[in-house]
Amino acid sequence: MPRTTYLPADEAAARAVDRLGEVLPDLVGVRQQMARLQAHEARLLAASGAIVDDWVMDAGLQHRSEAEMPHRIAASEIAAAWRVSDRTVQRQMADAATLVNDYPATLASLEAGRISSAHVRVIVGNGAIIARPELRAEYEAAILPYAESEAATRVAPIARLRAQWFAETTFDERHRQARLRRSVSLTDLDDGMAELVAILPAALAHGAYDRISQIARIAQTARSASDDDDALLPVDDVPSDATPDTRTLNELRADALSDLLLTGMPSSVSIPGGREAIRANIQVTVPVLTLIGDHVADPFEPTTLVGHGPIDAVTARTLAAGAPGWDRILTHPVSGAVLAVDRYRPSEEMRRHLRTRDQHCRFPACRIPARLCDIDHTIDHAHGGPTAIANLAHFCRRHHSGKHHSPWRVQQDAGGVLRWTSPTGRVYIDRPVSEVAFATEPEFDPAPF
């Protein structure tokens, strides 16, 4: 039977928030317990690996083929008990040994529940290019405080950038080797579907994804009521008399990609002006010396692709040569905070400044790129909020709407730091990624993160 009486909206919301506040501590506690157990498992796997290493040494097994068998035997023993693949266990044993022996502070943070296993994968995976133990320790000390206050997806590009500072091989050298491993693979899925995966240089991959996203957004004339982030992205340049298309943005991306690969034209997606009207957009930060002829780029000041991390200098120079305009970014020599942005042909200076400062949606853990976000007044303009850098920030459509139509509240502190207060009263600090990405030395990073 449907209800015949309802609570006032404010009372219903307050009751729900109170109940959520009761559940939330347990949810946080469960995640912390899981992290502690994962750290304990890593210690046990590393100890198992050490037992095998002692076995190999005690038996005097010199050749790699001989030494490999004890590792397989131990892995298969654990795998049989866990009912998983022994190859998976052997890889996990090696990963656990790296974590326990090379990243003790990261392991301790996982054990304390301050980070998740996803953070560990980001820190350890990006640190693989660092050979010397003392430099690995410096890298860990530089990135771990940031990881303890941010989502793993936000930590990943910063970790890539930080690892470059401590690697003994240059990024361009590693990129040349990595390019040799570019590939396309096909995996069959259920229900008549298949997965097509391409491993490409980052600038090409991001450019291709941006292009099919532009095609998809132009074709999308009907907004989805779904909570999916992609369905709530802004749609630009859609003709008012276009026929509504009920496909989601991801469906349109997939259709545009298959059309372009098979026919060279987005035949199932209508584009005003044709495919030539669509150009891929990516944002790169290029140190000025990298642009000067064949000058060798400073490995401590690499070129970065926004949303990804470092890219090779040759690609950076090629992109700069064809760019219609450049942004000059002035950063603080110590904190790395963005102070000003200029351009040869000045226009929309405040927007460029904010895009450079924010780089993505400023709601905690959201990674929607700034160019796909709205610029919002922290204090509403209707309530006297000024149109100034210190009162503006990027929010994706989902979180922009949530800011205005939910109990979430935000205030902006100095340096573009946002202080979010949740409906249950918890406070979350969101700092601009530029504070970390443009900092010159780890010890000069703003603290705490």
Side-chain angles (χ1 to χ4, degrees):
M1 295 281 298
R3 291 186 180 182
T4 56
T5 60
Y6 298 93
L7 295 173
D10 290 347
E11 185 178 340
R15 177 179 292 186
V17 167
D18 287 343
R19 294 173 64 190
L20 183 61
E22 294 173 0
V23 173
L24 190 57
D26 284 344
L27 286 172
V28 173
V30 167
R31 280 299 177 99
Q32 292 174 334
Q33 291 178 40
M34 290 169 60
R36 282 193 288 271
L37 288 173
Q38 287 166 338
H40 185 52
E41 180 182 272
R43 291 189 186 278
L44 293 175
L45 285 171
S48 301
I51 292 171
V52 176
D53 290 340
D54 291 342
W55 174 1
V56 171
M57 184 175 294
D58 292 343
L61 303 178
Q62 302 294 328
H63 298 292
R64 183 175 179 179
S65 58
E66 294 176 334
E68 175 68 12
M69 188 52 65
H71 288 278
R72 292 184 183 180
I73 292 172
S76 62
E77 179 71 32
I78 298 170
W82 280 357
R83 295 183 296 279
V84 297
S85 165
D86 60 302
R87 290 185 177 86
T88 298
V89 171
Q90 192 167 350
R91 184 179 65 252
Q92 290 176 338
M93 289 172 68
D95 292 344
T98 299
L99 174 60
V100 171
N101 298 325
D102 297 345
Y103 296 91
T106 300
L107 177 62
S109 186
L110 178 67
E111 209 160 28
R114 293 191 296 269
I115 61 174
S116 68
S117 58
H119 292 89
V120 172
R121 287 192 293 272
V122 167
I123 294 172
V124 175
N126 284 286
I129 64 175
I130 306 171
R132 294 164 55 186
E134 64 273 18
L135 295 181
R136 254 194 321 268
E138 288 187 39
Y139 157 75
E140 181 183 40
I143 197 64
L144 185 56
Y146 186 65
E148 290 179 340
S149 65
E150 282 290 358
T153 52
R154 285 192 176 183
V155 176
I158 303 302
R160 289 192 201 103
L161 184 61
R162 286 296 171 84
Q164 311 306 315
W165 295 0
F166 304 103
E168 295 186 355
T169 56
T170 68
F171 181 84
D172 284 3
E173 290 171 343
R174 295 194 305 276
H175 178 70
R176 282 193 290 272
Q177 292 298 315
R179 279 183 64 91
L180 301 178
R181 298 191 294 273
R182 61 191 185 278
S183 63
V184 176
S185 61
L186 180 67
T187 303
D188 288 323
L189 304 176
D190 294 333
D191 303 319
M193 302 297 287
E195 182 180 60
L196 181 67
V197 177
I199 299 176
L200 301 169
L204 299 181
H206 277 256
Y209 184 79
D210 180 78
R211 187 168 187 236
I212 62 172
S213 295
Q214 288 186 60
I215 292 172
R217 284 193 297 274
I218 288 176
Q220 187 184 50
T221 62
R223 305 278 185 143
S224 171
S226 154
D227 284 337
D228 184 88
D229 282 345
D230 280 346
L232 294 174
L233 296 178
V235 180
D236 301 322
D237 302 326
V238 177
S240 59
D241 58 348
T243 303
D245 193 327
T246 59
R247 288 175 289 179
T248 66
L249 194 61
N250 269 329
E251 288 175 319
L252 286 162
R253 282 193 186 108
D255 292 345
L257 175 64
S258 58
D259 288 345
L260 290 169
L261 290 176
L262 294 172
T263 69
M265 289 290 293
S267 53
S268 67
V269 178
S270 175
I271 302 175
R275 63 180 176 141
E276 289 78 11
I278 302 299
R279 291 290 182 270
N281 292 308
I282 58 175
Q283 183 181 344
V284 295
T285 301
V286 189
V288 66
L289 291 180
T290 302
L291 296 177
I292 302 176
D294 294 327
H295 178 83
V296 177
D298 183 350
F300 295 100
E301 194 179 7
T303 297
T304 58
L305 172 66
V306 172
H308 169 74
I311 61 173
D312 61 294
V314 173
T315 298
R317 284 193 285 266
T318 302
L319 291 171
W326 299 353
D327 287 336
R328 184 176 64 196
I329 303 172
L330 178 63
T331 62
H332 191 282
V334 175
S335 71
V338 174
L339 301 178
V341 176
D342 195 13
R343 190 170 181 172
Y344 179 68
R345 293 174 292 182
S347 64
E348 298 183 328
E349 291 85 353
M350 293 175 69
R351 289 179 178 272
R352 293 201 309 278
H353 183 113
L354 289 165
R355 282 198 299 269
T356 303
R357 186 195 74 182
D358 295 346
Q359 299 195 26
H360 49 58
C361 173
R362 295 296 308 284
F363 187 82
C366 186
R367 286 272 298 165
I368 297 295
R371 59 184 171 77
L372 301 179
C373 295
D374 302 328
I375 295 178
D376 174 76
H377 288 76
T378 307
I379 301 174
D380 292 353
H381 189 263
H383 297 158
T387 304
I389 294 295
N391 190 51
L392 298 172
H394 281 92
F395 301 134
C396 69
R397 190 60 56 88
R398 173 187 177 91
H399 294 128
H400 190 181
S401 175
K403 172 181 175 287
H404 291 287
H405 301 289
S406 80
W408 278 91
R409 294 294 177 262
V410 62
Q411 70 180 59
Q412 185 164 171
D413 297 336
V417 175
L418 299 187
R419 187 180 301 272
W420 288 88
T421 302
S422 76
T424 60
R426 290 175 173 247
V427 175
Y428 302 91
I429 304 300
D430 188 86
R431 290 179 170 80
V433 68
S434 55
E435 284 189 2
V436 181
F438 296 146
T440 55
E441 293 291 344
E443 60 264 32
F444 293 144
D445 287 338
F449 281 99

